[in-house]
Amino acid sequence: MAEQLEVKELDQVVVRFSGDSGDGMQLAGNIFSTVSATVGNGISTFPDYPADIRAPQGSLTGVSGFQVHIGAGKVYTPGDLCDVLVAMNAAALKTQYRYAKPQATIIIDTDSFGPSDLKKAAFQTEDYLGEMGIDPDRVVQCPLTTMVKDCLADSGMDNKAVLKCRNMFALGLVCWLFNRDLDLVANFLREKFAKKPAIAENNIKVVQAGFDYGHNTHASVPATYRIDSKVKVPGRYMDITGNKATAYGLIAAAEKAGLKLFLGSYPITPATDILHELSKHKSCGVMTVQCEDEISGCASSVGAAFAGALAATSTSGPGICLKSEAINLAVIDELPLVIIDVQRGGPSTGLPTKSEQTDLLQALYGRNGESPIPVIAATSPTDCFDAAYEASKIALEHLTPVMLLTDAFIANGSAAWKLPTMETLPDIHPHYVTPEMKDNYTPYFRDEETKVRYWAIPGQEGYTHILGGLEKDGKTGAISTDPENHDLMCRLRAEKVAKIAVPDLEVSGDADDADLLIVGFGSTYGHLVSAMEELRKKGYKVAQAQFKYINPLPKNTAEVLTRYKKVVVAEQNLGQLAAYLRAKVDGFVPAQYNEVKGQPFVVGELVDAFERLIKS
């Protein structure tokens, strides 16, 4: 029996799984994060994969990665650099080592470091560790492929199927290193492969083999580790991605409003998972249509909104361009429609699998005519649920299209989420017609205070009406080209959006006396808060404010932004939020921190930049 290693307690750890696109790194990372969330750890994940459908095996461009940050408390980001790097082949080591800390433990499959593998990865010699300056004492050199083949020799699986299980051996080894319960892994695999139990059991066998290899050999590490949750709030938890949380938020809103949910969509990376997830929930009254293009996807949702459903359409930046005409139809018809834009790198096809915040101005202004709509930006994978729910509530109560901005980082990333109960969610009251309006209804008759028109569902006797893309008379609903009426209708549509009540902008950190206020929007929240905390540890007075509601802006926006001596707006574009805020707040001239790299911010780089700004 192997001697028991010391078990050390850690507050947090970052693990990065990397290999060929077909090596199952996303699945291995997802299982590890799910198991960690199940035991109450805080988690944040970052899937980083190429746009290729299947790059050549062993090539540098075909490497897929999955990074997970696990903490005893709340975790805000996937981490800048990893403590453990799993590299399934030479190309993975070559491209992913830059994401590892100098002292990181590296696990490699030595069977995938042969002469041809090294050549594909552009190594010049067979001493690949020396060539990269890696200390061999930090490397767990494991003949992983050979051991998987031995483990499954009697399984009846062909060689191709056996090789697909290599990721499970690596997962088992990592589970051993961090003292994870393999029963939780087995439960996950049996659920995932419920229709193929033999595959589930073979994968479970390989996970156990990886765990046993670490236990019996100690894998050249001085200790194993445990990360225990510091604060455990009772409830049911799950590891949830932003796209799945968005789908659940829409379902919950439809249920709360007593409506059917309709999604008209067209597949596009990285938004397609919303369509996939919603298509599984017909039992909840969800209707999904995969249309022939982006235009019809949005137009079908406009029709569903007219018919009385909670209507949504999901896409990414290029799809928003195509949907703009149909979105404008919903604007002039004043119909409730939730438009989900999972932002990715642009312009054009750009970086399909990478993340940016470059659609903000398109969301605010990217339609012809005066066409204001509310814009909300989710701040994390779990916040996607709340943001989708709130977008639905605003759409139904104010009879307007609403744009929900997420992005590839939070849509594909995941975090531990405590499932809410329906009783705790805010009520949703669609702005329906009243019985008193029967036989006297016109479609643009409005609530005097909110300027919201009243929603009549087709088929209701006494509420016959026509909507369309041509301007209508505000009193009669008839087509009108009268200049005064058009001016009035444009102003009313804008006033309606401006009157929507949104929460005040919250300031964290040294809110009363900060020398620097860090401002962002949407998914950069975790990185900016982490940078703020690092600066405060250094003795600086720093505060942070994150915009979730962008149109209309919170009522205290100007007061907050003009309160501090120095303000920096940090965003993953070339300054769209900063330009918008300058236009909205008189005299506001912030510093800017902008990146358009397709990758999340690096907290260390933010800290250095903000520290220089404070000292300047």
Side-chain angles (χ1 to χ4, degrees):
M1 179 177 290
E3 181 184 350
Q4 188 69 37
L5 283 176
E6 178 188 1
V7 179
K8 293 184 178 180
E9 296 284 343
L10 295 178
D11 283 334
Q12 57 182 344
V13 72
V14 178
V15 181
R16 189 176 182 96
F17 296 85
S18 62
D20 261 334
S21 292
D23 282 343
M25 295 296 94
Q26 308 297 319
L27 177 60
N30 183 247
I31 294 174
F32 187 65
S33 64
T34 298
V35 168
S36 301
T38 303
V39 298
N41 291 147
I43 65 165
S44 177
T45 71
F46 174 48
D48 189 14
Y49 52 93
D52 310 54
I53 293 174
R54 185 66 172 91
Q57 187 174 8
S59 65
L60 294 171
T61 59
V63 175
S64 175
F66 188 102
Q67 186 159 304
V68 55
H69 184 183
I70 300 164
K74 189 170 179 58
V75 170
Y76 290 103
T77 76
D80 289 355
L81 299 172
C82 64
D83 302 283
V84 177
L85 172 65
V86 177
M88 298 295 284
N89 61 17
L93 181 65
K94 187 70 171 285
T95 60
Q96 305 298 296
Y97 181 64
R98 60 178 174 156
Y99 300 115
K101 294 177 181 177
Q103 70 276 18
T105 298
I106 301 169
I107 300 170
I108 66 172
D109 177 9
T110 53
D111 291 330
S112 297
F113 281 76
S116 64
D117 303 304
L118 296 175
K119 184 177 180 180
K120 290 178 187 176
F123 281 102
Q124 302 302 312
T125 68
E126 292 189 5
D127 180 18
Y128 48 89
L129 296 180
E131 195 171 319
M132 295 190 70
I134 300 174
D135 181 358
D137 290 340
R138 293 194 291 112
V139 182
V140 179
Q141 303 187 56
C142 169
L144 195 149
T145 299
T146 298
M147 287 190 285
V148 171
K149 288 180 177 179
D150 291 344
C151 179
L152 297 176
D154 300 326
S155 66
M157 299 170 66
D158 60 34
N159 188 61
K160 185 177 180 180
V162 168
L163 292 179
K164 285 185 176 180
C165 297
R166 293 163 63 243
N167 59 334
M168 292 297 102
F169 192 98
L171 174 63
L173 184 52
V174 172
C175 285
W176 164 77
L177 186 60
F178 294 103
N179 289 275
R180 291 308 188 204
D181 185 352
L182 292 194
D183 287 341
L184 298 174
V185 178
N187 292 340
F188 182 102
L189 290 168
R190 289 189 178 110
E191 182 176 343
K192 180 173 178 61
F193 297 107
K195 296 181 179 179
K196 299 178 180 179
I199 292 179
E201 296 308 317
N202 284 326
N203 276 280
I204 292 169
K205 184 178 180 182
V206 174
V207 172
Q208 185 67 57
F211 189 96
D212 292 343
Y213 173 81
H215 177 73
N216 293 329
T217 66
H218 292 175
S220 305
V221 297
T224 62
Y225 306 95
R226 177 179 289 114
I227 305 162
D228 287 329
S229 299
K230 292 180 178 177
V231 180
K232 294 186 178 181
V233 179
R236 186 181 178 188
Y237 287 81
M238 66 181 291
D239 174 25
I240 196 168
T241 65
N243 275 339
K244 181 175 282 192
T246 299
Y248 286 2
L250 294 173
I251 294 171
E255 181 72 20
K256 198 75 170 182
L259 297 175
K260 298 283 189 179
L261 172 63
F262 178 93
L263 180 83
S265 189
Y266 180 77
I268 183 171
T269 301
T272 309
D273 285 340
I274 297 170
L275 172 62
H276 289 171
E277 183 62 36
L278 287 176
S279 68
K280 301 174 184 176
H281 297 284
K282 295 181 177 65
S283 61
C284 296
V286 179
M287 298 171 284
T288 56
V289 177
Q290 179 175 317
C291 298
E292 65 269 26
D293 56 36
E294 295 282 7
I295 300 169
S296 57
C298 191
S300 66
S301 296
V302 173
F306 177 68
L310 169 55
T313 187
S314 55
T315 189
S316 190
I320 293 294
C321 298
L322 292 165
K323 292 181 190 291
S324 62
E325 184 177 1
I327 294 171
N328 243 7
L329 178 60
V331 170
I332 198 167
D333 287 351
E334 299 187 51
L335 288 169
L337 173 67
V338 179
I339 308 117
I340 301 136
D341 178 6
V342 186
Q343 299 168 96
R344 71 186 204 184
S348 187
T349 311
L351 304 174
T353 62
K354 307 304 180 183
S355 186
E356 286 179 7
Q357 294 184 302
T358 45
D359 294 351
L360 177 60
L361 292 182
Q362 179 176 226
L364 289 165
Y365 302 117
R367 294 164 298 282
N368 68 294
E370 291 293 337
S371 52
I373 63 172
V375 177
I376 297 174
T379 59
S380 69
T382 56
D383 185 56
C384 285
F385 175 89
D386 299 312
Y389 188 93
E390 184 64 18
S392 302
K393 178 177 169 68
I394 290 173
L396 291 168
E397 294 185 343
H398 296 271
L399 273 291
T400 178
V402 179
M403 185 82 75
L404 170 58
L405 296 175
T406 68
D407 55 44
F409 169 56
I410 58 173
N412 293 321
S414 65
W417 180 55
K418 182 184 176 185
L419 276 69
T421 60
M422 290 299 293
E423 294 75 23
T424 62
L425 298 175
D427 289 337
I428 297 177
H429 302 286
H431 201 248
Y432 289 127
V433 292
T434 65
E436 293 76 21
M437 297 175 189
K438 186 176 180 181
D439 297 322
N440 293 305
Y441 172 73
T442 59
Y444 294 107
F445 178 64
R446 300 174 185 275
D447 180 279
E448 196 59 40
E449 182 179 346
T450 64
K451 306 305 179 186
V452 179
R453 79 175 189 91
Y454 290 88
W455 193 18
I457 308 304
Q460 287 180 277
E461 185 180 352
Y463 299 94
T464 303
H465 65 286
I466 297 174
L467 300 177
L470 293 172
E471 185 67 279
K472 304 295 191 299
D473 185 279
K475 294 179 180 179
T476 67
I479 293 173
S480 172
T481 58
D482 177 70
E484 298 302 324
N485 175 74
H486 179 57
D487 183 84
L488 175 64
M489 293 295 277
C490 285
R491 293 178 187 277
L492 286 171
R493 287 188 286 263
E495 186 179 358
K496 178 182 72 170
V497 172
K499 282 179 171 287
I500 295 171
V502 301
D504 277 351
L505 182 64
E506 294 183 1
V507 182
S508 60
D510 299 302
D512 295 328
D513 57 351
D515 296 319
L516 176 68
L517 173 68
I518 303 168
V519 174
F521 80 95
S523 66
T524 57
Y525 171 72
H527 293 84
L528 298 182
V529 165
S530 298
M532 175 193 72
E533 293 298 348
E534 290 299 316
L535 288 165
R536 295 178 74 201
K537 288 177 185 177
K538 289 187 171 190
Y540 298 109
K541 288 189 175 295
V542 183
Q544 199 276 330
Q546 196 77 2
F547 282 95
K548 177 175 178 177
Y549 299 90
I550 300 173
N551 191 38
L553 286 167
K555 283 185 168 36
N556 67 333
T557 296
E559 185 274 323
V560 168
L561 295 182
T562 56
R563 186 193 310 167
Y564 301 93
K565 292 181 291 185
K566 291 182 181 179
V567 181
V568 59
V569 178
E571 46 189 322
Q572 291 180 308
N573 56 47
L574 296 181
Q576 296 184 25
L577 178 65
Y580 178 65
L581 292 175
R582 284 198 300 270
K584 292 291 185 179
V585 179
D586 290 341
F588 179 58
V589 184
Q592 293 180 212
Y593 182 93
N594 303 109
E595 284 185 358
V596 197
K597 297 180 178 179
Q599 295 286 327
F601 282 144
V602 175
V603 173
E605 293 176 358
L606 292 172
V607 170
D608 291 343
F610 297 159
E611 187 172 19
R612 289 194 299 270
L613 184 59
I614 294 171
K615 292 179 176 179
S616 67

